[in-house]
Amino acid sequence: MDTEAQSTERDRSSRPSDSEATSDPGGPEGRSRFALVARAAEWLPGGRITLTLLACLLFLLLLSTFVLRPFQIPSGSMEKALRIGDRVLVNKLAYRFGAAPQRGDIVVFDGTGYFGHADYVKRVVGVGGDHVVCCDKDGRIQVNGRPVDESRFLYPGDSPSTVPFDVVVPSGTLFVLGDHRSRSSDSRDHLGSPGGGMVPVAGVIGRADWIVWPAGHAVRLHRPDAYARVPASAAGRAGAHG
């Protein structure tokens, strides 16, 4: 008798089969999680449907708090781009991670202590260090000595401003105007108020990126190229070289 062969055969037969050796893929931890979800579904009226709805609501709450916030346009100060009742999505991450508002952006900001106890929506015309003047001999606003053609987004029939001003925007603030200049209360109207009509960048909630309602007016909001040729301010150039 070949005892070596018999021993080898016994060794093979003594090993557990693949099906016996493979543990439950979920494991105790996975089973515990599923059991917890199942118990929660049993406890809630409506079961899994209610649990799913609650999870969706939590997701939407987190999205609104940290990423996107819906905002309803309360007045005609930003016509023709934004009409009364339009609902826009405000990108709350647009100015995080080192980014900053740029000329031409439409921003939503908290006006408490500067404009009033409410949120406002306006267009950025000047950023920190900019010299903003109204108006040149052709009736255009100048930023850092460069005239800006705002005709593509100004409300039809409006002039860039009937109020003259000559301001230098302090660092960390913004000079903002509404597109419907004749109906907009903006930086021009608060030059003598605390803060000089400037909006702190820290008070900006985010950038209006989309009109989402009404459906017929839904559109992506782009930064106009009217400010593309405006040179950096002397303060901005010094910061870039530093």
Side-chain angles (χ1 to χ4, degrees):
M1 178 182 296
D2 189 347
T3 56
E4 184 175 349
Q6 288 178 338
S7 175
T8 302
E9 188 65 29
R10 281 197 300 273
D11 289 342
R12 290 199 194 100
S13 63
S14 65
R15 292 196 203 95
S17 66
D18 290 343
S19 60
E20 292 173 339
T22 304
S23 60
D24 183 356
E29 186 178 349
R31 287 196 299 270
S32 298
R33 285 196 296 267
F34 287 122
L36 181 62
V37 171
R39 284 198 297 271
E42 291 173 2
W43 178 74
L44 289 170
R48 289 185 179 273
I49 294 177
T50 302
L51 187 63
T52 301
L53 290 175
L54 288 175
C56 290
L57 287 174
L58 178 61
F59 172 76
L60 291 175
L61 177 62
L62 292 173
L63 188 69
S64 176
T65 302
F66 299 107
V67 183
L68 294 172
R69 172 182 164 181
F71 181 82
Q72 184 171 354
I73 303 304
S75 73
S77 71
M78 280 299 295
E79 292 176 332
K80 56 186 180 178
L82 304 176
R83 303 177 299 190
I84 298 174
D86 279 355
R87 288 169 173 81
V88 300
L89 281 183
V90 178
N91 182 355
K92 300 181 73 172
L93 296 180
Y95 306 129
R96 301 298 183 265
F97 314 112
Q102 298 185 43
R103 304 178 200 95
D105 286 353
I106 297 175
V107 296
V108 174
F109 59 93
D110 179 3
T112 302
Y114 299 91
F115 278 47
H117 297 284
D119 293 341
Y120 294 81
V121 56
K122 304 292 177 188
R123 190 180 297 277
V124 177
V125 174
V127 298
D130 282 349
H131 183 199
V132 187
V133 178
C134 178
C135 289
D136 68 5
K137 59 183 179 62
D138 295 317
R140 297 173 298 182
I141 285 177
Q142 286 187 329
V143 183
N144 299 333
R146 174 80 66 175
V148 178
D149 181 6
E150 301 176 290
S151 58
R152 292 190 62 182
F153 52 84
L154 277 187
Y155 188 78
D158 272 8
S159 63
S161 181
T162 57
V163 178
F165 52 82
D166 186 336
V167 297
V168 175
V169 184
S171 177
T173 67
L174 307 170
F175 186 84
V176 297
L177 299 175
D179 288 354
H180 196 165
R181 300 284 158 83
S182 61
R183 293 186 57 186
S184 176
S185 177
D186 44 43
S187 289
R188 299 169 298 169
D189 301 282
H190 299 275
L191 293 175
S193 303
M198 308 300 165
V199 175
V201 173
V204 173
I205 296 167
R207 184 181 65 208
D209 276 355
W210 287 90
I211 300 174
V212 294
W213 187 261
H217 195 210
V219 68
R220 174 72 184 269
L221 297 169
H222 295 281
R223 182 185 304 123
D225 58 7
Y227 301 91
R229 298 181 64 190
V230 171
S233 65
R237 290 194 297 271
H241 292 306

